[in-house]
């Protein structure tokens, strides 16, 4: 690494945040605490969630942490100042509101810039709802895609669902996606209406909360069950047409 | 969950194993130890790697653990006996040779069967090289696919690489894949030859070892660097045509 790295020792750490309500010892390796405590500079999707993570990591004095916000409300085109501390040899931690940075969250631009500047990128281990869902779905863990959010507009949404169902069949590729939580129940109803009866539909909801819910059934079998209560709960959907 | 679960209290735990050489406190939450120690029945991709994980979790008496092997050499069509202990109310742990179960590893059939039998599936947190690579690549964490292994035959391999490059462009979807480690160096050379010069190529190698290597560059920029030594090292490749 040293042959192609020109920074003076700083790294961009990708630091997972909590998902659900379970405490530290369920969610993160102990090592993450050491890294968090060693840092002074952070880029946070959400200030409050970042401070909570620092607190749980027993950060010595949170008022001394330099936290810059970076999320969908960030309009500055030049993001290079976020990595400025690295020029002075300080490491920087990137922290999402929930789960791992970048995956279904902001941060790609920052990581990309780090690579351009030959800054080492060091991902830490933690929970990703997408990863836990792929593991638990029993669809296809050797060939899968995460498609982010479905379109908001209904006809577009239906077109996309059907496209993903066909794609899953032709490529034998499990297709995962998410929805804004208050629309989950509606999305699930539409999925049951438009997907074919033999298509496998996977639902991973409320992971790392007290009441997680992970289940994969054919559309035909889902229709025989009571409708699961997924309203406003964080949820990952997966499909595979057999 | 209870409304649709008919088992007497047992779960199928999906238990991550080590990747790389870093010790427990870098790789897993403490909670995983409690779960592993509480289990008597395991399904393991590799006996030795399973026993090593049990040892690191300070499993009280490994000779008492009932470990069934399940991997590519498993030819028994009826896998239901692997979940037999659940009928008696015992939980079962599924453990890969390395990393998280199912993802780029066997286990989908077992998880699928658990869902059919309404057995709760509980994923634990640990390292997935694929996940760490998606986080660290700076390609697209909101839209990506993991395609497993590329074809072995050279012309098929080249066709697949070009297909993935085009797909990444048209769907704005980062495409990740793996190769048998002793073919990594060869694959990397072919990628540099056939991909377009502006395509981003990401390499995540030796994760959670002492010498990890994570870097994303355009093909043109990779060509200016010394060829990285990735021979026989675990590696995840990612591409995105801009």
């Amino acid at each position: 690494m040293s042959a192609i790295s020109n920074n003076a020792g700083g790294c961009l750490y990708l630091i997972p945040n909590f998902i659900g309500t379970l405490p530290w010892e369920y969610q993160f390796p102990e090592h993450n605490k050491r890294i968090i405590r060693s840092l002074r500079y952070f880029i946070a999707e959400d200030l409050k969630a970042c401070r909570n993570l620092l607190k749980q990591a027993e950060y010595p004095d949170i008022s001394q942490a330099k936290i810059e916000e970076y999320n969908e409300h960030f309009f500055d085109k030049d993001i290079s100042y976020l990595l400025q501390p690295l020029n002075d040899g300080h490491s920087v931690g990137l922290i999402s509101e929930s789960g791992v940075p970048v995956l279904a969250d902001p941060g790609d631009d920052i990581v990309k810039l780090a690579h351009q500047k030959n800054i080492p990128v060091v991902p830490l281990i933690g929970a990703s709802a997408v990863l836990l869902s792929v593991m638990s779905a029993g669809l296809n863990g050797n060939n899968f895609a995460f498609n982010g959010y479905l379109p908001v507009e209904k006809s577009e949404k239906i077109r996309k669902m059907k496209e993903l169902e066909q794609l899953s069949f032709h490529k034998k590729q499990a297709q995962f996606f998410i929805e804004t939580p208050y629309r989950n129940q509606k999305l699930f109803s539409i999925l049951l209406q438009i997907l074919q009866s033999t298509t496998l539909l996977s639902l991973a909801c409320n992971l790392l909360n007290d009441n997680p819910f992970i289940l994969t059934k054919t559309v035909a079998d889902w229709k025989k069950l009571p409708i699961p209560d997924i309203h406003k709960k964080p949820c990952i959907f997966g499909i595979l047409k057999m």
Side-chain angles (χ1 to χ4, degrees), chain A:
Chain A
M1 188 59 120
S2 56
I4 48 169
S5 169
N6 67 3
N7 79 313
C11 301
L12 176 65
Y13 285 102
L14 310 181
I15 303 174
N17 208 333
F18 288 89
I19 66 172
T21 52
L22 295 183
W24 186 283
E25 62 267 27
Y26 284 75
Q27 305 230 6
F28 313 112
E30 275 301 294
H31 172 67
N32 295 22
K33 278 188 187 168
R34 279 202 297 274
I35 296 296
I36 291 170
R37 285 188 210 136
S38 76
L39 299 175
R40 188 162 179 208
Y41 298 90
F42 298 92
I43 305 168
E45 187 189 1
D46 181 85
L47 275 179
K48 196 175 157 192
C50 174
R51 288 201 187 103
N52 178 52
L53 182 69
L54 267 52
K55 190 178 159 199
Q56 299 300 322
E58 295 155 48
Y59 194 83
D61 181 358
I62 294 174
S63 71
Q64 295 296 306
K66 310 278 188 195
I67 308 174
E68 296 277 358
E69 261 192 310
Y70 180 78
N71 52 39
E72 69 274 26
H73 308 299
F74 187 92
F75 291 116
D76 201 338
K77 277 189 183 163
D78 181 10
I79 58 170
S80 59
Y81 78 90
L82 294 170
L83 297 180
Q84 183 61 36
L86 286 146
N87 294 338
D88 306 320
H90 301 293
S91 290
V92 173
L94 176 65
I95 300 180
S96 280
E97 184 180 358
S98 172
V100 306
V102 173
L103 210 158
D105 263 333
D108 262 321
D109 291 350
I110 293 168
V111 175
K112 194 173 166 183
L113 185 64
H115 286 300
Q116 281 167 7
K117 290 176 175 285
N118 294 322
I119 294 163
V121 174
V122 182
L124 301 186
I125 290 159
S128 153
V130 175
L131 175 82
L132 296 176
S133 175
V134 173
M135 287 164 71
S136 310
L139 298 178
N140 190 346
N142 289 284
N143 189 8
F144 66 89
F146 173 66
N147 299 275
Y149 288 92
L150 292 189
V152 174
E153 201 273 313
K154 188 171 173 183
S155 63
E156 270 300 290
K157 197 191 297 271
I158 290 174
R159 192 196 54 73
K160 184 73 180 180
M161 286 176 189
K162 288 183 175 169
E163 181 193 308
L164 292 179
E165 186 183 35
Q166 285 307 311
L167 197 63
S168 77
F169 180 67
H170 291 299
K171 297 191 72 177
K172 311 281 176 231
Q173 186 177 62
Q175 301 293 330
F176 293 86
F177 47 90
I178 47 179
E179 178 61 289
T180 311
Y182 76 87
R183 294 200 194 105
N184 275 344
Q185 206 86 25
K186 183 80 186 162
L187 178 72
F188 189 76
S189 304
I190 301 174
L191 284 166
L192 290 194
Q193 282 166 40
I194 67 153
L195 296 180
Q196 298 188 25
S197 60
T198 55
T199 293
L200 286 168
L201 171 59
S202 168
L203 204 56
C205 180
N206 248 359
L207 297 171
L208 277 71
N209 270 303
D210 291 334
N211 293 302
F213 177 93
I214 302 176
L215 196 60
T216 299
K217 293 280 175 194
T218 62
V219 166
D221 283 341
W222 271 117
K223 286 181 177 170
K224 295 175 200 157
L225 293 172
I227 295 171
D229 175 17
I230 54 176
H231 186 57
K232 289 193 180 176
K233 295 177 181 168
C235 224
I236 310 278
F237 300 84
I239 57 174
L240 181 66
K241 177 166 146 58
M242 304 303 286

